Amino acid sequence: MSKSKNLADELFPEPDLYDSEEVLDIPPNQRKLHTESYDYSISTIYEYLKSEHIYIPRYQRSYVWDRSQASKLIESLVIQCPIPILYLEQSYDSRFSVIDGNQRLTSIKLFLNDEFSLKGLTAYPELDGLFWSDLDPRIQRHIKNRTLRCIAILPDTHPQIKFDVFERLNTGSVKLNSQELRHGIYHGPLIDKVEKLAKSAKWKEVTRIKADKRMRRSELVLRYLAMANDLESYFKPLTGFLNQFAEKYQFASSETLEKFEDDFTQAVEKIHTLYGDLSFRPFNHEFKAQNAINTALLDAQMIAVHRLERPLHSFSQREREKLWKATADLFDERDFSMTIGAGTSSRSSVLGRIEKFSVFLNEQLG
């Protein structure tokens, strides 16, 4: 190990997230947002983007600006029109991920890379049709000397406070959902594992979520992992519970993540064997199910099969249909149907439906 790496480990240690407090118990003095402001020249920003010292995280929306929008930004730099503040998140290795400003930064990088020509300018129409390399060197220097204000959220900010701030800065035309935000805030080995599991063929089959543009399958994987491994610490709201789990296991060991993967894979195999296309959907005695997933039922079924010890390799179609009939009877029971209907995120409802379905499955398959 080099002396440089030893020094870097001392100066920029990775956080120990395994002893973190519950989100709802964050002390008041830790609820503050820690930030630092930087005024970077366009020249510096361009170099940082090329070296990925500043980078666009995977959870961010793809680049959607058209050439006219991007050209207006470049023209604003020329006429020295104020540009909105860029918001970044600084990681423990001192790199910056972009929270708000993806379209602006990508436009600057593309233009300086000579990847589009200017179009639709109003203040300087003389520059229409010109690429970066076509501009007079004096105009190029003028643009590269312009500075943009950047506000960076520092790594010692509590993760749940970051989540709240990310939501407040979520200004896109299609706002990021909770799981997309988690992929940015808690990016690390756990999120990578969740992404991998969300793409498994059997998971796609039982959830019937094929085109997953909003990370829905990923959130359901994380939901299962959190309840399978941390159910006793469950609290409402569910979003806070999932955030706490993602923070706690953000940098989990490879051994822990392999166990998560094995448990998840076995649970999906079992639920597929038992219910197939009926998985996670209430159905009637004719075995007609609703199309949409009931996520409360998903909790109950996935944790119940996770706890199930019986191997299911020899499970027959006759046994399966007998189970389906009993399950349809269970859906008719008011006490159970209420736990997968209204108010499904309360602690009593979550623990109640999981326990009820676990007992039911053991009775049917015991």
Side-chain angles (χ1 to χ4, degrees), residues 43-62:
S43 178
T44 297
I45 286 175
Y46 178 60
E47 292 302 321
Y48 279 180
L49 287 169
K50 285 200 301 181
S51 66
E52 295 193 339
H53 184 67
I54 294 177
Y55 66 97
I56 311 296
R58 286 175 295 175
Y59 72 90
Q60 282 282 11
R61 298 255 168 263
S62 57

Side-chain angles (χ1 to χ4, degrees), residues 232-269:
E232 288 308 310
S233 65
Y234 177 83
F235 61 88
K236 185 180 179 180
L238 176 64
T239 295
F241 173 63
L242 296 183
N243 291 347
Q244 175 180 274
F245 182 81
E247 175 198 349
K248 181 178 180 180
Y249 290 99
Q250 181 177 6
F251 299 108
S253 67
S254 57
E255 291 80 6
T256 297
L257 294 177
E258 285 304 314
K259 181 181 182 301
F260 285 176
E261 180 172 2
D262 289 344
D263 288 348
F264 173 80
T265 302
Q266 289 178 31
V268 174
E269 289 284 349

Side-chain angles (χ1 to χ4, degrees), residues 178-191:
S178 295
Q179 188 62 24
E180 289 166 332
L181 289 171
R182 281 185 206 105
H183 272 235
I185 299 166
Y186 306 111
H187 52 82
L190 173 67
I191 290 298

Side-chain angles (χ1 to χ4, degrees), residues 86-137:
L86 302 169
Y87 290 93
L88 312 172
E89 180 196 11
Q90 186 176 24
S91 61
Y92 281 86
D93 62 3
S94 292
R95 295 170 72 210
F96 295 102
S97 63
V98 179
I99 301 173
D100 188 60
N102 175 13
Q103 306 301 314
R104 281 165 282 160
L105 290 174
T106 303
S107 295
I108 289 169
K109 182 180 179 182
L110 291 176
F111 184 64
L112 269 64
N113 278 346
D114 251 6
E115 294 188 39
F116 70 88
S117 60
L118 299 173
K119 173 185 177 182
L121 304 184
T122 54
Y124 291 106
E126 300 92 335
L127 301 180
D128 263 12
L130 299 185
F131 287 85
W132 168 255
S133 59
D134 298 324
L135 296 178
D136 185 275

Side-chain angles (χ1 to χ4, degrees), residues 35-38 85-89 99 149-153:
T35 65
E36 193 161 335
S37 298
Y38 303 93
I85 292 172
L86 302 169
Y87 290 93
L88 312 172
E89 180 196 11
I99 301 173
R149 170 58 59 95
C150 302
I151 294 181
I153 298 175

